[in-house]
Amino acid sequence: MATSATTTVNNIPSKMKAWVYSQYGKPEDVLKLETDIAVPDVKDDQVLIKVVAVAQNPIYPKRMSGLFKANDSPLPLAKHVFGASKVAATASSGKLELLKSLGADLAIDYKKENYEDLPEKFDLVYDTVVKLPKS
């Protein structure tokens, strides 16, 4: 007979700190530390993670300045933000068409091909999962 265990943590604070911005501009002008943000409610299929340290993604200042919005696709943004003339992206074979629909000029199945072994050469490799030591 299978049983499920539920762990309840009683020391979750009701408030948290967060760096936020509510208008576009230079990060040093618009980024503010808020210390009284409500901790989000956690649903049954979610987890709450306490973050101890973070790093700033180089895209964040571009978003804060209004160059693009949070729901813009990152692949066309590579052309706009980084000045790329051609964008290649990697995914598993089931996601290659999605990459093309998001604006990738070259969709690479990372399970079958290593981008370093391809005849195409890349000026910039932006690794969002820190798996490529040369990116």
Side-chain angles (χ1 to χ4, degrees):
M1 181 168 125
T3 60
S4 64
T6 303
T7 304
T8 303
V9 179
N10 295 326
N11 58 353
I12 297 175
S14 60
K15 301 290 181 180
M16 65 181 188
K17 296 178 187 176
W19 287 96
V20 299
Y21 66 98
S22 58
Q23 61 188 38
Y24 294 121
K26 294 180 180 178
E28 60 270 19
D29 296 334
V30 300
L31 197 57
K32 306 290 182 211
L33 177 63
E34 298 286 338
T35 59
D36 199 30
I37 304 287
V39 172
D41 291 328
V42 181
K43 298 176 183 163
D44 289 340
D45 62 344
Q46 297 176 326
V47 296
L48 181 64
I49 299 172
K50 180 180 180 179
V51 177
V52 183
V54 298
Q56 182 172 325
N57 184 311
I59 296 297
Y60 296 160
K62 306 268 189 220
R63 185 178 290 161
M64 277 183 245
S65 67
L67 285 176
F68 62 91
K69 309 298 183 263
N71 58 350
D72 287 343
S73 169
L75 299 177
L77 289 175
K79 293 181 181 178
H80 175 71
V81 174
F82 297 114
S85 60
K86 186 175 180 182
V87 175
T90 62
S92 61
S93 59
K95 301 289 184 180
L96 296 179
E97 288 304 315
L98 173 63
L99 291 180
K100 291 176 185 174
S101 74
L102 292 173
D105 299 299
L106 176 62
I108 303 165
D109 184 342
Y110 68 85
K111 292 183 179 180
K112 295 179 181 176
E113 296 180 289
N114 180 344
Y115 80 92
E116 293 176 289
D117 298 333
L118 296 174
E120 294 88 351
K121 297 302 170 208
F122 306 99
D123 294 323
L124 173 69
V125 176
Y126 182 65
D127 180 8
T128 60
V129 272
V130 192
K131 292 202 176 212
L132 304 171
K134 293 184 179 181
S135 63

